[in-house]
Amino acid sequence: MPTSTDKQPRVKSSDKPAAIPAPKSFIGFSTEENSPFADGYSITGEEALLAAYMAGPMHEDDPLYERYIELEDRKDQLARMQAKFHTRKGSDPDVKPAEFFAMDDLGSLVDSEDDLMTLHTKEAFRLFMGRVREPGSDVAPIVGGRRVASSLRSLWLLTGNDNPYADWSLLRHEQSMEEVNERLQEEIKAAETLLSSQQQRGLSYSVLKSAQPQSLQLGFRSPYGYSISRLIVDYDYFIRLQKTLGRKTLLSDQQMRRSITEMTRFIRRVFNEVARFSRWLMQPDINALSRLDFITEHASEEGKQRVEFVREVFGMVPADVFTAKLQPRHSRRRYTLTEKERSLLQSVGVQLAEAEAQREAGEFQDANSGLV
């Protein structure tokens, strides 16, 4: 009977032999600078090199067979690396699972308080609200700021379809708003200077304000809506200044009314253009328009019809807008072009630029045809 001294000692984990290393591989492979592998292995390069082999019978005695096996192994490794990256949300290795999983429960950003716009004048209220056509009346409706903000949101959403006419409309709006704001600020500064000059003479005039100003909740769902609200409050202040100058007899009633009328018409022209773009581009048969519709050999029949329609309604989109050289300040455009698509779109842009140059040359010639 064996005694305790006859028992073999247990092998500790530290006493286990080291893992047997794999033999050195002599398989060559393609490399690339931004490879996800430490040795620079290029999956794309190997796929191109092995394309002919993988298209054939793929005999195991072929020298390329081991290279093919290595390619498949690297693909599996990359898939595991990508899965780990996405699971960890791309976080650093020191980040704990509880920390990167908490990112999934993070809520979206919301306004901490209601956005409000405070107005003092009926003119500003009317500019914001607009006016529909009165039943039984021939008086034209008025496009208001609230409707324009909604139209701008629609156009902003259309930029997500890579719609060049939506880009054009927003660029036009931004340019027009700069002109309106510049003119408004000039008028405001002139009125404030006039009031200040009276103060230097010993007369301190206060600017008129409503006994009960009203605050409106905004809740715009696009960046462009807030530019409309800033315009409305500046216009409201402009109206208060003009009526102050009229009441203090620094302007005549006729001068005051003319100043207000001209500014109001200027702003409404901007509003009307936005509404026109939105009205036509948001039609069910047109709102899917994209830049790819302009590539004749790739466009569907519906796409060709969309291009023909917008050309008839708006004319041809400017070349710099079509090629995205000019882009609106805010856009949902996330479309990724292939190299072939980018090349084709650039060629369309060149054609548009040539057409614009010919049209401008023709207009110049017509304008000077009567000169000696």
Side-chain angles (χ1 to χ4, degrees):
M1 185 173 182
T3 63
S4 59
T5 57
D6 298 327
K7 294 181 179 180
Q8 296 295 325
R10 294 182 178 178
V11 179
K12 299 180 180 179
S13 59
S14 60
D15 297 331
K16 290 182 179 180
I20 300 174
K24 185 177 181 180
S25 174
F26 290 96
I27 303 175
F29 54 79
S30 305
T31 60
E32 62 185 9
E33 184 177 354
N34 296 321
S35 170
F37 303 103
D39 57 5
Y41 186 93
S42 172
I43 290 179
T44 304
E46 287 298 283
E47 285 179 333
L49 188 142
L50 295 171
Y53 172 75
M54 291 187 291
M58 299 175 60
H59 295 300
E60 294 185 11
D61 57 353
D62 191 300
L64 294 177
Y65 177 72
E66 290 188 38
R67 201 156 176 168
Y68 163 72
I69 295 299
E70 178 69 15
L71 173 62
E72 294 300 312
D73 181 59
R74 295 293 184 126
K75 288 181 178 179
D76 290 340
Q77 290 182 43
L78 179 59
R80 291 193 296 271
M81 292 162 63
Q82 290 174 335
K84 182 178 180 180
F85 175 85
H86 291 298
T87 299
R88 295 185 56 84
K89 316 297 182 188
S91 60
D92 290 329
D94 294 336
V95 177
K96 299 176 182 178
E99 294 170 338
F100 59 71
F101 280 129
M103 187 175 175
D104 293 331
D105 299 327
L106 186 66
S108 60
L109 292 176
V110 297
D111 293 318
S112 56
E113 297 179 0
D114 291 333
D115 295 322
L116 300 176
M117 178 176 65
T118 302
L119 299 179
H120 294 258
T121 67
K122 292 182 178 179
E123 289 85 353
F125 252 92
R126 177 58 68 191
L127 187 66
F128 181 69
M129 293 190 307
R131 184 184 65 203
V132 298
R133 188 187 302 275
E134 181 180 354
S137 172
D138 294 332
V139 177
I142 297 174
V143 177
R146 174 66 81 177
R147 178 181 166 188
V148 169
S150 178
S151 296
L152 287 168
R153 179 177 182 273
S154 298
L155 295 168
W156 175 63
L157 292 175
L158 285 182
T159 62
N161 297 343
D162 198 31
N163 187 322
Y165 280 79
D167 288 348
W168 189 13
S169 66
L170 293 178
L171 284 164
R172 283 280 306 166
H173 171 71
E174 291 169 5
Q175 178 180 313
S176 299
M177 285 290 283
E178 288 181 4
E179 295 172 359
V180 169
N181 286 324
E182 182 178 348
R183 183 168 174 179
L184 257 178
Q185 297 312 315
E186 288 177 355
E187 294 288 345
I188 288 173
K189 184 178 180 179
E192 289 177 334
T193 300
L194 187 54
L195 289 174
S196 178
S197 67
Q198 299 303 306
Q199 188 175 13
Q200 294 174 3
R201 292 176 171 83
L203 294 173
S204 296
Y205 292 144
S206 62
V207 178
L208 296 176
K209 63 179 182 179
S210 173
Q212 291 183 311
Q214 297 297 306
S215 296
L216 305 176
Q217 291 188 7
L218 299 178
F220 294 126
R221 292 183 292 171
S222 84
Y224 288 100
Y226 292 95
S227 65
I228 296 298
S229 64
R230 289 195 299 272
L231 171 63
I232 298 295
V233 295
D234 283 348
Y235 175 79
D236 184 59
Y237 182 53
F238 161 78
I239 296 295
R240 291 167 57 197
L241 284 170
Q242 294 303 308
K243 292 194 172 184
T244 299
L245 296 179
R247 178 170 296 188
K248 314 302 181 184
T249 196
L250 296 174
L251 288 179
S252 68
D253 291 344
Q254 183 178 5
Q255 289 173 317
M256 178 190 69
R257 285 193 293 267
R258 183 172 63 249
S259 178
I260 292 175
T261 298
E262 290 177 355
M263 182 62 67
T264 304
R265 287 176 176 171
F266 188 23
I267 295 174
R268 284 178 179 169
R269 283 199 298 271
V270 177
F271 285 5
N272 287 336
E273 182 174 292
V274 172
R276 177 173 179 261
F277 266 110
S278 177
R279 181 172 65 253
W280 292 113
L281 294 181
M282 285 301 295
Q283 290 192 22
D285 296 337
I286 305 301
N287 60 16
L289 179 73
S290 76
R291 282 175 170 82
L292 293 181
D293 289 338
F294 291 79
I295 302 177
T296 307
E297 57 268 33
H298 293 279
S300 63
E301 190 60 36
E302 293 80 5
K304 294 176 182 178
Q305 292 175 0
R306 288 192 289 265
V307 171
E308 182 180 358
F309 177 84
V310 292
R311 282 179 171 173
E312 290 180 356
V313 174
F314 300 107
M316 196 54 209
V317 61
D320 286 347
V321 176
F322 182 83
T323 58
K325 182 178 180 180
L326 297 177
Q327 297 185 48
R329 292 183 63 187
H330 305 285
S331 174
R332 294 174 61 86
R333 184 173 184 245
R334 300 293 184 272
Y335 187 77
T336 303
L337 298 173
T338 65
E339 286 299 325
K340 183 176 181 181
E341 289 173 338
R342 184 176 291 107
S343 176
L344 289 170
L345 290 177
Q346 288 295 332
S347 66
V348 174
V350 170
Q351 295 173 14
L352 294 178
E354 292 175 350
E356 288 179 9
Q358 292 176 1
R359 183 174 63 251
E360 291 175 358
E363 291 176 352
F364 178 80
Q365 184 176 1
D366 292 341
N368 293 276
S369 60
L371 300 178
V372 179

